[in-house]
């Protein structure tokens, strides 16, 4: 039984360099003084304040800090006030721009023309001085000038002066801001490649242009010998190491050793593996975000870290043939808790698959939850399950399911007990996740130098989304999305299927939502259309948020099962044929506008 007292809740903090991006609210107004502007000043500014309150009350940054909104000092009736607003936004660190108005305004004179800020306009649906007219005119201006902008227009007419924000407007505002903050948060950060290409996996051929041009990030690289050197020189917080090792011994239960008896490592070797694995986790974290304790120890350069919002560890084979594998460091860092208590998960991709790491990053920025990295290993058809186990599938699993499994960073949250924004995770949630996790000695066929891998089975009935960015030559990045749910199998059926593959690794049985034609005709078709061996999985159905975010980054979506009425992209996408061919329009728009950062 895990000691809950060790799982204190850490307050939210920003562990990276740079301030958190803010949301800028631009109240636009008819600039004609002499009665028109004066009659609208109060309500226009009230719209801005109500919008700011909505955002701050409902959203947090992925690090848990509250989202701050900045409102222009005055309503914006022309370019002079637009310039004042732009200067304030730059000074305040605004990363997302949202214009609100109840009335006609002068479109090209008041619009936000910063090409790097995700932008939207809410035009109030009223009849007195309809903001919808400004909305339509200014969106047309954005499209003409090549500055994609999201439009927000309520379905029902409201009375001028009604400060209530309709539910459909709220949904679009919050979806836009979630995506915009993700864009702004990534900018200026790094992906840290710890090692190089793992076993020829293309996703670990880290593409610098992808991160620089689409995410506004840089790629930092360190050789895995950095781990050898830091461990040998004890270049880590030794007090924390002793505390972490004691916590691991108390809370990380060992499971079955599946290796042949004559090949199993001795007790002394296993204990030494634990010590090395804990040190590896400390080193990886310090490499990503730095550690001021190292400066106190005389390692000022190493104390700085690489300002990495995400990273990946190569592991196989140049590391794991000679040293304990990276499964512990990946799993514990990706979880929302460790020996320091409950804290923001890290994003660490196994095998340094940077494309899956980037995907995990998007999911975490949108939700604040721990992400799963997994092999999309096997499609189990009803006939195959019947043949192997004698069991007839029914319910959600009636059409078959996918086996998601990987030795690496399936966060412990994915036992099913802590799948919520990390700041809502309780010590009891984390304790149950630890209680349901066994740590098995590494499969020595894969990892001949030892190590530890997690073994658990995700609870069934959890809504989740599997997604991945793939990189295609002469096309660029494309995103695929499959919403669905986890399922549970009868114990004997689970055991039979699980033991046919790697029983010392964590298993998630996943059923994507299917129906219609094409890639989502059935579960097999989803497997057949999946673009790589790996997938990122996030709790909840976040496909609509991912699609909006992808449009901001100019990444087309080639595969998804999100209902069409939930698709929300900049209105320019309609001009590319979105009303007739939404997939083709997405590709054409992304190709025309190109990567967000050039």
């Amino acid at each position: 039984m895990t000691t809950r007292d060790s799982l204190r809740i850490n307050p939210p903090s920003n562990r990276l360099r740079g301030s958190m991006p803010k949301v800028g609210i631009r109240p636009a107004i008819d600039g004609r003084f002499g009665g028109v502007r004066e009659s609208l000043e109060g309500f226009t500014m009230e719209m801005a304040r109500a919008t700011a309150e909505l955002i701050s009350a409902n959203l947090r940054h992925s690090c848990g800090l509250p989202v701050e909104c900045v409102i222009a000092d005055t309503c914006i009736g022309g370019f002079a006030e637009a310039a004042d607003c732009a200067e304030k936004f730059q000074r305040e660190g605004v990363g997302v721009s949202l214009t609100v108005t109840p009335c006609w305004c002068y479109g090209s004179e008041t619009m936000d023309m910063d090409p790097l800020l995700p932008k939207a306009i809410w035009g109030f649906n009223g009849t007195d001085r309809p903001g919808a007219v400004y909305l339509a005119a200014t969106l047309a201006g954005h499209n003409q000038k090549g500055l994609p902008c999201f439009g927000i227009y309520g379905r029902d007419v409201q009375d001028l002066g009604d400060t209530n924000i309709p539910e459909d407007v709220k949904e679009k505002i919050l979806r836009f801001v979630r995506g915009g903050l993700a864009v702004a948060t990534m900018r200026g950060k790094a992906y840290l490649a710890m090692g190089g290409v793992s076993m020829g996996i293309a996703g670990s051929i880290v593409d610098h242009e992808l991160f620089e041009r689409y995410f506004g990030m840089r790629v930092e690289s360190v050789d895995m010998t950095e781990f050898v050197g830091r461990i040998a020189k004890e270049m880590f917080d030794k007090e924390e190491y002793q505390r972490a090792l004691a916590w691991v011994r108390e809370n990380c239960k060992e499971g079955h050793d599946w290796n042949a008896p004559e090949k199993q490592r001795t007790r002394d070797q296993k204990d030494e593996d634990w010590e090395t694995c804990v040190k590896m986790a400390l080193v990886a974290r310090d490499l990503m975000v730095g550690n001021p304790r190292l400066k106190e120890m005389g390692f000022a350069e190493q104390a700085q870290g690489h300002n990495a919002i995400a990273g990946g560890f190569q592991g196989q084979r140049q590391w794991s043939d000679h040293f304990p594998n990276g499964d512990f460091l990946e799993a514990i860092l990706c979880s929302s808790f460790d020996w320091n208590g409950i804290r923001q998960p890290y994003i660490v991709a196994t095998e340094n698959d940077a494309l899956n790491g980037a995907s995990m990053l998007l999911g975490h920025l949108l939700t604040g939850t721990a992400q799963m990295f997994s092999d999309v290993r096997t499609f189990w058809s009803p006939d195959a399950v019947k043949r192997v186990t004698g069991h007839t599938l029914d319910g959600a699993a009636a059409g078959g399911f996918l086996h998601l499994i990987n030795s690496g960073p399936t966060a412990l949250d994915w036992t099913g007990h802590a799948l919520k924004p990390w700041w809502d995770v309780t010590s009891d949630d984390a304790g149950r996740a630890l209680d349901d996790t066994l740590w098995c000695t590494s499969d020595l066929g894969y990892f001949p130098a030892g190590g530890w891998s997690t073994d658990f089975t995700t609870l069934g009935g959890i809504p989740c989304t599997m997604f991945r960015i793939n990189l295609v030559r002469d096309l660029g990045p494309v995103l695929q999305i499959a919403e669905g749910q986890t399922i549970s199998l009868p114990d004997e059926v689970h055991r039979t299927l699980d033991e046919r593959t790697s029983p010392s690794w964590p298993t998630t049985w996943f059923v994507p939502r299917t129906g219609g034609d094409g890639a989502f005709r059935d579960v097999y078709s989803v497997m057949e259309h999946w673009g790589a061996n790996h997938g990122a999985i996030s709790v909840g159905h976040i496909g609509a948020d991912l699609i909006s975010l992808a449009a901001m980054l100019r990444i087309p979506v080639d595969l998804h099962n999100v209902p069409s009425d939930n698709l929300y992209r900049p209105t320019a996408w309609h001009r590319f044929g979105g009303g007739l061919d939404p997939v083709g329009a997405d590709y054409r728009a992304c190709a025309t506008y190109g990567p967000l950062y050039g």
Side-chain angles (χ1 to χ4, degrees), residues 102-116:
C103 61
W104 167 252
C105 318
Y106 304 153
S108 64
E109 298 178 17
T110 59
M111 64 192 287
D112 183 344
M113 294 187 63
D114 187 324
L116 299 183

Side-chain angles (χ1 to χ4, degrees), residues 152-393:
I152 302 170
Y153 178 57
R155 180 173 292 274
D156 297 318
V157 172
Q158 293 179 264
D159 296 330
L160 191 66
D162 184 354
T163 57
N164 292 310
I165 303 177
E167 290 303 316
D168 59 330
V169 172
K170 287 181 182 178
E171 182 179 358
K172 287 186 174 180
I173 289 174
L174 295 177
R175 177 160 294 153
F176 163 73
V177 173
R178 275 193 295 268
L181 286 173
V183 172
T185 301
M186 289 186 286
R187 186 180 180 188
K189 308 302 190 301
Y191 175 89
L192 177 62
M194 294 175 277
V197 179
S198 174
M199 300 182 295
I201 294 172
S204 61
I205 303 172
V206 182
D207 189 279
H208 288 229
E209 280 204 2
L210 169 70
F211 284 93
E212 292 166 4
R213 300 180 68 200
Y214 286 88
F215 303 135
M217 296 169 57
R218 70 175 65 201
V219 174
E220 297 273 286
S221 301
V222 296
D223 192 271
M224 289 182 293
T225 54
E226 183 72 13
F227 284 79
V228 179
R230 291 197 183 203
I231 290 172
K233 297 175 181 177
E234 296 189 317
M235 201 177 291
F236 50 82
D237 184 340
K238 289 188 281 294
E239 183 279 326
E240 183 185 4
Y241 163 68
Q242 293 297 337
R243 180 162 44 83
L245 185 61
W247 183 88
V248 165
R249 286 172 172 160
E250 184 173 3
N251 296 296
C252 295
K253 299 179 298 183
E254 293 185 17
H256 181 66
D257 188 339
W258 292 89
N259 295 291
E262 68 275 10
K263 293 185 177 180
Q264 291 180 7
R265 292 169 71 76
T266 66
R267 184 66 256 173
D268 285 346
Q269 287 176 314
K270 292 179 180 180
D271 289 342
E272 186 177 346
D273 288 348
W274 272 124
E275 294 171 4
T276 302
C277 288
V278 172
K279 293 173 184 176
M280 289 167 62
L282 293 173
V283 170
R285 183 204 62 195
D286 292 351
L287 282 167
M288 290 182 69
V289 301
N291 186 345
R293 180 75 181 94
L294 297 182
K295 185 175 182 180
E296 298 171 10
M297 297 166 58
F299 306 113
E301 180 184 0
Q302 291 80 2
Q304 296 182 52
H306 290 267
N307 203 33
I309 196 171
F313 182 73
Q314 176 195 334
Q316 298 187 81
R317 290 185 42 204
Q318 284 78 5
W319 177 270
S320 56
D321 278 7
H322 311 288
F323 303 98
N325 65 15
D327 290 4
F328 176 79
L329 84 82
E330 294 160 359
I332 202 68
L333 290 180
C334 286
S335 299
S336 60
F337 47 85
D338 60 18
W339 46 87
N340 290 318
I342 295 166
R343 46 89 179 131
Q344 183 186 7
Y346 294 83
I347 301 298
V348 185
T350 196
E351 293 154 357
N352 193 31
D353 182 348
L355 295 178
N356 222 57
S359 305
M360 294 166 68
L361 176 59
L362 300 186
H364 176 63
L365 291 174
L366 288 172
T367 66
T369 63
Q371 304 295 293
M372 181 200 301
F373 180 118
S374 193
D375 283 352
V376 185
R377 177 68 66 91
T378 309
F379 165 67
W380 277 101
S381 68
D383 289 344
V385 173
K386 180 74 171 178
R387 177 181 64 81
V388 171
T389 70
H391 177 69
T392 300
L393 296 175

Side-chain angles (χ1 to χ4, degrees), residues 68-83:
E68 294 183 57
C69 294
V70 176
I71 301 175
D73 291 333
T74 67
C75 291
I76 301 169
F79 176 55
E81 288 163 321

Side-chain angles (χ1 to χ4, degrees), residues 31-103:
R32 288 173 286 197
F33 283 97
V36 175
R37 175 166 179 155
E38 291 87 343
S39 69
L40 295 164
E41 288 272 8
F43 180 52
T44 303
M45 195 57 79
E46 277 301 311
M47 278 186 69
R49 283 192 282 265
T51 303
E53 290 170 6
L54 170 73
I55 293 167
S56 296
N58 287 275
L59 298 182
R60 289 199 196 191
H61 292 287
S62 57
C63 68
L65 290 172
V67 174
E68 294 183 57
C69 294
V70 176
I71 301 175
D73 291 333
T74 67
C75 291
I76 301 169
F79 176 55
E81 288 163 321
D84 290 341
C85 175
E87 193 277 331
K88 180 178 183 179
F89 282 7
Q90 185 177 38
R91 186 176 66 248
E92 294 283 346
V94 165
V96 183
S97 173
L98 175 56
T99 300
V100 301
T101 186
C103 61

